[in-house]
Amino acid sequence: MVEKQKKIKPGALCELCHGRKAVMKRPKNLQKLCKECFYNVFETEIHNTIVGHELFKKGDRVAIGASGGKDSTVLAAVLKTLNERYNYGVELVLLSIDEGIKGYRDDSLATVKRNQKQYEMPLEIVSYKELYDWSMDEIVSCAGIRSSCTYCGVLRRQALDRGAAKLGIDHVVTGHNADDVAETVLMNILRGDTARLESSCSILTQSSGSPIKRSKPFKYTYQKEIVLYAHYKKLDYFSTECSYAPEAFRGTARELLKSLESIRPSCIMDIIYSGEHLVLGQKKKVTQQRKKPNKIKNDMEQEVRSDGSIKIKQNETKDGNRCEKCGYITSNRICKACLLLGGLEANRAKLDIEGNTAVDGAAKLTRTLEKLAF
Amino acid sequence: MLQPPKKKKKKKKKRGHLFCNEIIIIKYSKMSSTNEPVKYLTADDHIPCKRCQAEDSVLVSRKEPFCKKCFLRFIRGKQRRQMNHEKFKVKYNKTAEQPERILLAFSGGLSSLVLLDIMVSLLKEQKEMHRDRQGFELLIVAIDESNLKAFQNNISDIITSLAAYMDFQINYKILDINNFFADSHLLKTITIDEDYSAWCSSIQHDKTYTYQDIVNMCPDKSSTEDVLSIIFSKLLLTTAEAESCQTIIYANSMTRLANEVLAMIVRGRGAEVHQKVSDSVQKYNGKEIEVIFPLRDVLFAEVEAYAQLTGLESYMLQEVNPKSGKIVRNMTVRDLTTGYFKNLDATGYASTASTVVKTAEKLGETRSKQDRLCSFCGTDLQKDPEEWLRNITVSQPAPLVTEEDHNNYAEYLSSSLSHHKGAAHDQRLPLGVCYGCMVTLRGGGSQANSIVWPVAESNSSDQKVLDEYIISDE
């Protein structure tokens, strides 16, 4: 730990403690820091976020959404450290989702299992297959690779909630970092998603209908710093990206964010700050007046969707509405997951070839090819 | 019992028959075809114009073929719709108090050429229809940038040759950017410290500052760009007030506005978006000045088409060495967002620009707004931006452990590096600066930075009373 060099020039010292040699540039503001000061600022910032937003209460049981990737591995490590250092008094549990992507998720789950032993936390794995009777590989072979993220995202959200409910836990923390949040702010603006615009930056999402809340302790933590932290602390994580195509449009936003960060490192924080201050204005009066006469008439009408479900009118939508099929919280009669699965079920092959491996996705193929030797 | 809902919803219902994944597939197939926003036709195409049915179309815009005449009329119509207020129309009663005066912010770029052409065509039409009367007076204001960049042509020549081309008397005024710093007694040094606090101190010497001096104090190119846009809008507002113009019109196209929204969000100015992008009324020295973007419904590709069809392109202000940057490091925030929208146009996501502008129009005032204004840019201050930053950017060191560390620290204290910290700060006063300006003034780094800027004396009415009636404080 201690540098062996005798004399360090004052210019090469850490810019915070001025006592140790600087070994890294901090991605957030390009400060030259020593390892100890980096650990200190990194952990303290997360601690500030947790305390400032009162994320935890003493005696809480908290599930960490663990994928085995760098974000969730660092999250587990940091939360364990902080919990001991600042005495939060929370019990931490690892919760993993097995989407059923051969060659990708099975490897990363192995990482989670190693982490479980290292951090001495209980681990619960919930799989798509047992929950929905569909694995991601099957979904992709049925619906195509283009829409993979749509399915996976919707299903994972529900799976995490169900996993937490199974464990009797009402709080899931996820490893979403500042880059993810900034990207979401940009995406919401680019897609004109006014419904999510205001809440996209909230660190804690909670609705009165759902017993499970989620939070992002890494909201202000740069992805690059998470990588550095994992590197210096020699954490064991799985660093392969999901083999299915990322959403094309999101990709363009991500690329923009990367170039922006390279010319101005603070821009991720700046975008989050902007995002926290985006507020929808009052609707203009003119349009409201024009709509009024129609509205009275509309109260008598009911929209029937193509799938036979009936749309619940805006004023009736309230937190706590339940899906008719599965009982999951939804703003419509049938939740998004059931809707998507219904569509899949209709297209499912009636016959199955025994021992068919064609459904195993690209990742499996890559793994097999990697192991080939001449 | 199950009546179809509103007419509008009928369309939506139709789409509802498709399965979700089908919708997604349609979206992608649209994307893969290179449907540029404006497609030019050649003489061999012989597609009749959909509007007049008489002439061959020259281009396809918004899925509709247009002949030249109908396209120009279509674009002009966009401006008329944005400015269809009664006050811009010809008034016959002579008792009208003040003639409506409009200030057109003219940069010499394509959009401003097109807007000028549209406004002049409107005035000509008014004169023709209403026996030589016009509904408003037009004043062209340009900011001379010739001492910032080298240009092939000069802005006043452009305006005079345009006047000849349009056969119309154009009133214009060219501003020197250094006017902004002319009021030397207002100039103060604004410092943003390492802990994000903002301070203001007076300047001792009587040096006159030029724009170039200020540029040298900016930490990076993106900051310079932001500072420049603040100066421009402030200068135009001042000029509008001095020239008793009630309205300022900007030539920003929809694409440009979308770009501006994105750039503002990236700069941490999200809270200002609703003011800066929608048509608004701004208060300046107690006067209300309306700011309008008449081309907000026109894509930049359509502006280009308009300029090409009318031959206005040839009048454009040309830089000697236009930026040909592909190197990201040399780009600014706006360069990057502009490039982003250009790419989207090429890949068929052209509708994004309109989505972004429409979304920005739906935004409103924040709840954390304070009653104070930012001393640098003049927008509403939000609550404690510096506190927000301090919480998420900790700058406390880890404790020093070994003796060697302590020795190093002692060495550091005795070296010259630690000295600048002890500089006298007693002469300075705290200042309210918004988050966006804080970022602009400091750049992305962790260092403190200072800039010279005209800071208005506190303009609260109480202060004015005190200033007027107190002779001496002792």
Side-chain angles (χ1 to χ4, degrees):
Chain A
M1 293 279 270
V2 183
E3 300 296 330
K4 280 272 145 58
Q5 277 167 285
K6 265 278 146 75
K7 278 265 188 261
I8 305 162
K9 276 183 196 160
L13 287 172
C14 163
E15 287 179 20
L16 283 180
C17 66
H18 306 292
R20 287 172 288 253
K21 195 188 169 210
V23 293
M24 60 169 299
K25 260 193 312 190
R26 195 174 178 202
K28 210 171 195 170
N29 53 13
L30 306 181
Q31 243 172 359
K32 291 192 192 89
L33 298 184
C34 63
K35 257 192 224 174
E36 281 69 24
C37 284
F38 172 65
Y39 294 155
N40 183 51
V41 293
F42 184 88
E43 287 160 5
T44 315
E45 280 166 19
I46 295 161
H47 170 66
N48 282 353
T49 312
I50 290 170
V51 173
H53 294 85
E54 294 171 14
L55 294 187
F56 303 140
K57 278 200 299 286
K58 255 208 168 94
D60 273 357
R61 287 180 78 215
V62 178
I64 301 171
S67 66
K70 55 183 179 306
D71 295 325
S72 55
T73 307
V74 174
L75 182 65
V78 169
L79 284 186
K80 188 180 159 68
T81 315
L82 292 178
N83 192 21
E84 285 161 10
R85 184 183 303 159
Y86 296 102
N87 199 13
Y88 294 154
V90 294
E91 188 191 329
L92 298 166
V93 179
L94 294 172
L95 174 60
S96 284
I97 307 297
D98 181 4
E99 293 94 344
I101 304 174
K102 279 198 182 134
Y104 165 68
R105 187 48 97 210
D106 33 8
D107 290 8
S108 60
L109 280 176
T111 320
V112 179
K113 282 172 193 155
R114 285 199 299 276
N115 287 337
Q116 180 210 356
K117 281 187 200 123
Q118 194 189 340
Y119 303 135
E120 296 162 332
M121 293 177 194
L123 166 70
E124 174 76 30
I125 299 176
V126 181
S127 80
Y128 279 10
K129 188 74 188 170
E130 66 185 58
L131 212 54
Y132 308 112
D133 195 28
W134 282 89
S135 72
M136 260 325 277
D137 282 337
E138 286 166 353
I139 290 175
V140 170
S141 71
C142 180
I145 200 164
R146 286 291 199 189
S147 46
S148 54
C149 288
T150 314
Y151 284 96
C152 196
V154 170
L155 298 183
R156 183 175 319 102
R157 194 182 165 79
Q158 223 185 80
L160 268 177
D161 276 8
R162 288 178 188 275
K166 201 168 157 190
L167 292 165
I169 289 177
D170 66 350
H171 190 169
V172 179
V173 290
T174 52
H176 288 104
N177 56 41
D179 298 47
D180 298 332
V181 177
E183 194 181 292
T184 309
V185 172
L186 289 183
M187 285 298 292
N188 286 340
I189 277 285
L190 291 169
R191 279 201 294 222
D193 197 341
T194 45
R196 293 202 191 120
L197 205 58
E198 284 185 41
S199 61
S200 64
C201 273
S202 56
I203 188 161
L204 186 77
T205 46
Q206 197 171 16
S207 67
S208 58
S210 163
I212 291 150
K213 56 186 177 184
R214 299 147 173 282
S215 60
K216 321 187 234 288
F218 279 173
K219 185 185 162 188
Y220 300 115
T221 309
Y222 275 40
Q223 187 175 347
K224 287 180 180 164
E225 298 194 355
I226 293 175
V227 175
L228 281 163
Y229 189 86
H231 169 77
Y232 282 129
K233 290 266 182 183
K234 299 198 173 58
L235 297 181
D236 175 13
Y237 67 89
F238 183 74
S239 62
T240 310
E241 296 256 323
C242 174
S243 50
Y244 290 127
E247 217 184 319
F249 193 50
R250 189 173 274 273
T252 66
R254 187 170 296 177
E255 218 169 280
L256 174 69
L257 194 65
K258 280 211 175 117
S259 347
L260 283 168
E261 196 193 348
S262 72
I263 59 161
R264 181 177 271 182
S266 75
C267 85
I268 290 174
M269 281 190 293
D270 304 344
I271 293 171
I272 297 176
Y273 185 85
S274 287
E276 286 183 8
H277 289 86
L278 293 178
V279 180
L280 291 179
Q282 298 284 317
K283 270 189 185 164
K284 279 175 192 145
K285 272 180 186 162
V286 191
T287 47
Q288 273 181 343
Q289 278 171 354
R290 205 182 291 155
K291 271 185 182 168
K292 248 188 178 171
N294 278 337
K295 236 182 185 172
I296 302 158
K297 217 177 116 194
N298 266 352
D299 281 348
M300 314 290 289
E301 295 168 354
Q302 281 193 315
E303 186 186 337
V304 180
R305 290 222 180 73
S306 54
D307 60 346
S309 69
I310 293 170
K311 190 188 177 184
I312 292 165
K313 279 177 230 107
Q314 278 304 297
N315 47 4
E316 280 177 37
T317 321
K318 54 181 194 299
D319 267 354
N321 193 43
R322 299 270 161 200
C323 169
E324 284 191 347
K325 277 191 179 168
C326 66
Y328 185 70
I329 176 171
T330 171
S331 55
N332 289 316
R333 197 160 162 183
I334 288 171
C335 73
K336 186 86 179 155
C338 288
L339 193 70
L340 289 176
L341 290 170
L344 282 174
E345 211 62 58
N347 294 336
R348 186 173 226 169
K350 299 281 182 295
L351 290 172
D352 195 15
I353 304 164
E354 205 175 324
N356 181 15
T357 50
V359 288
D360 298 346
K364 178 72 195 286
L365 187 66
T366 322
R367 295 288 141 202
T368 324
L369 288 174
E370 274 171 6
K371 281 171 198 149
L372 280 184
F374 294 101
Chain B
M1 196 175 71
L2 300 170
Q3 296 159 351
K6 269 188 284 172
K7 272 185 185 170
K8 260 193 180 170
K9 281 202 172 156
K10 248 185 177 174
K11 270 188 190 166
K12 270 192 185 166
K13 230 190 128 189
K14 232 180 176 179
R15 290 188 74 184
H17 285 298
L18 303 166
F19 280 112
C20 266
N21 45 350
E22 277 179 86
I23 294 176
I24 290 159
I25 291 163
I26 292 168
K27 212 173 83 194
Y28 278 110
S29 65
K30 235 183 174 178
M31 184 194 76
S32 55
S33 69
T34 51
N35 52 345
E36 276 156 17
V38 173
K39 201 179 137 201
Y40 293 93
L41 300 171
T42 55
D44 317 327
D45 286 337
H46 292 303
I47 300 168
C49 168
K50 209 179 168 189
R51 302 233 162 162
C52 63
Q53 302 287 355
E55 295 193 35
D56 277 356
S57 324
V58 289
L59 53 81
V60 178
S61 172
R62 309 189 188 197
K63 293 176 189 153
E64 201 182 316
F66 284 97
C67 69
K68 178 183 166 184
K69 216 174 140 196
C70 291
F71 181 71
L72 298 187
R73 199 186 138 77
F74 170 69
I75 299 295
R76 285 173 186 164
K78 296 282 173 202
Q79 175 270 327
R80 311 256 163 123
R81 182 186 279 183
Q82 291 302 324
M83 295 176 68
N84 65 356
H85 193 274
E86 209 51 48
K87 64 185 179 190
F88 304 121
K89 290 180 181 155
V90 175
K91 280 142 286 211
Y92 276 88
N93 56 336
K94 284 185 179 154
T95 48
E97 328 82 54
Q98 260 183 325
E100 186 68 29
R101 278 171 67 84
I102 298 180
L103 185 154
L104 192 157
F106 188 83
S107 67
L110 272 189
S111 305
S112 61
L113 288 169
V114 168
L115 182 60
L116 177 59
D117 186 71
I118 292 173
M119 295 308 287
V120 167
S121 81
L122 177 60
L123 282 173
K124 276 183 177 171
E125 198 182 291
Q126 285 184 343
K127 281 189 152 187
E128 207 174 289
M129 304 267 286
H130 301 278
R131 280 176 275 157
D132 216 27
R133 283 183 172 87
Q134 54 186 63
F136 55 89
E137 286 170 22
L138 191 63
L139 175 70
I140 314 299
V141 173
I143 294 169
D144 188 16
E145 294 179 67
S146 57
N147 44 11
L148 314 180
K149 292 176 213 156
F151 293 103
Q152 293 171 4
N153 39 6
N154 127 357
I155 202 141
S156 58
D157 292 348
I158 292 177
I159 297 178
T160 38
S161 54
L162 270 174
Y165 165 76
M166 292 172 187
D167 188 22
F168 196 85
Q169 165 85 36
I170 296 176
N171 297 323
Y172 71 94
K173 204 176 157 136
I174 289 172
L175 306 175
D176 181 359
I177 194 164
N178 291 327
N179 282 355
F180 191 73
F181 308 99
D183 220 347
S184 61
H185 71 275
L186 286 182
L187 291 182
K188 298 269 165 65
T189 305
I190 296 182
T191 307
I192 308 287
D193 258 355
E194 278 172 13
D195 67 346
Y196 306 103
S197 53
W199 303 92
C200 165
S201 51
S202 49
I203 302 170
Q204 264 84 20
H205 45 82
D206 278 344
K207 187 179 176 275
T208 50
Y209 283 88
T210 64
Y211 173 72
Q212 201 52 51
D213 299 323
I214 308 302
V215 167
N216 294 341
M217 297 177 200
C218 290
D220 58 35
K221 282 184 178 169
S222 300
S223 298
T224 316
E225 177 185 80
D226 196 29
V227 165
L228 193 63
S229 67
I230 294 172
I231 296 180
F232 275 22
S233 65
K234 279 200 168 183
L235 269 181
L236 287 168
L237 214 55
T238 324
T239 317
E241 197 247 359
E243 295 284 333
S244 55
C245 295
Q246 300 91 331
T247 310
I248 301 180
I249 54 177
Y250 282 98
N252 297 11
S253 62
M254 184 199 279
T255 318
R256 173 68 196 268
L257 281 175
N259 181 2
E260 207 63 22
V261 173
L262 207 58
M264 261 196 258
I265 287 180
V266 172
R267 291 192 190 118
R269 295 185 181 277
E272 303 167 31
V273 169
H274 73 283
Q275 281 179 336
K276 293 283 165 68
V277 174
S278 43
D279 296 347
S280 60
V281 176
Q282 296 195 4
K283 277 202 176 137
Y284 186 81
N285 272 356
K287 271 193 190 170
E288 290 192 338
I289 294 170
E290 195 178 0
V291 177
I292 303 180
F293 300 93
L295 300 184
R296 65 159 59 250
D297 279 343
V298 184
L299 289 168
F300 187 68
E302 291 166 335
V303 169
E304 282 178 315
Y306 186 104
Q308 199 187 329
L309 292 176
T310 46
L312 283 168
E313 305 178 287
S314 55
Y315 294 91
M316 203 170 97
L317 189 65
Q318 303 274 2
E319 263 184 71
V320 177
N321 296 315
K323 262 189 204 168
S324 60
K326 282 253 160 164
I327 309 156
V328 172
R329 213 162 275 273
N330 291 335
M331 290 195 181
T332 62
V333 169
R334 192 184 285 143
D335 292 341
L336 284 173
T337 52
T338 311
Y340 179 71
F341 277 105
K342 251 189 207 151
N343 275 341
L344 283 187
D345 269 1
T347 44
Y349 284 117
S351 62
T352 310
S354 101
T355 312
V356 171
V357 175
K358 297 250 159 65
T359 316
E361 283 166 7
K362 287 180 194 154
L363 297 175
E365 258 173 21
T366 56
R367 285 173 279 269
S368 57
K369 201 184 98 173
Q370 285 182 302
D371 263 347
R372 291 195 301 154
L373 298 180
C374 168
S375 308
F376 194 81
C377 69
T379 50
D380 297 321
L381 269 183
Q382 306 296 322
K383 226 176 167 182
D384 284 342
E386 59 273 21
E387 192 56 39
W388 187 88
L389 269 167
R390 269 177 222 147
N391 253 326
I392 62 167
T393 324
V394 171
S395 50
Q396 265 78 51
L400 298 175
V401 190
T402 63
E403 196 172 327
E404 194 191 347
D405 295 347
H406 285 286
N407 287 343
N408 281 331
Y409 185 59
E411 184 108 335
Y412 165 79
L413 284 181
S414 61
S415 77
S416 57
L417 280 168
S418 65
H419 286 334
H420 71 277
K421 277 198 166 172
H425 286 324
D426 26 301
Q427 289 299 312
R428 58 188 207 171
L429 295 163
L431 198 69
V433 172
C434 72
Y435 183 92
C437 291
M438 234 178 244
V439 175
T440 290
L441 294 179
R442 279 194 24 160
S446 60
Q447 306 297 321
N449 191 38
S450 303
I451 199 167
V452 172
W453 197 254
V455 179
E457 302 295 329
S458 74
N459 45 4
S460 74
S461 52
D462 293 359
Q463 191 60 43
K464 272 183 191 158
V465 172
L466 295 179
D467 290 347
E468 195 173 345
Y469 293 100
I470 293 179
I471 301 170
S472 155
D473 259 340
E474 289 303 309

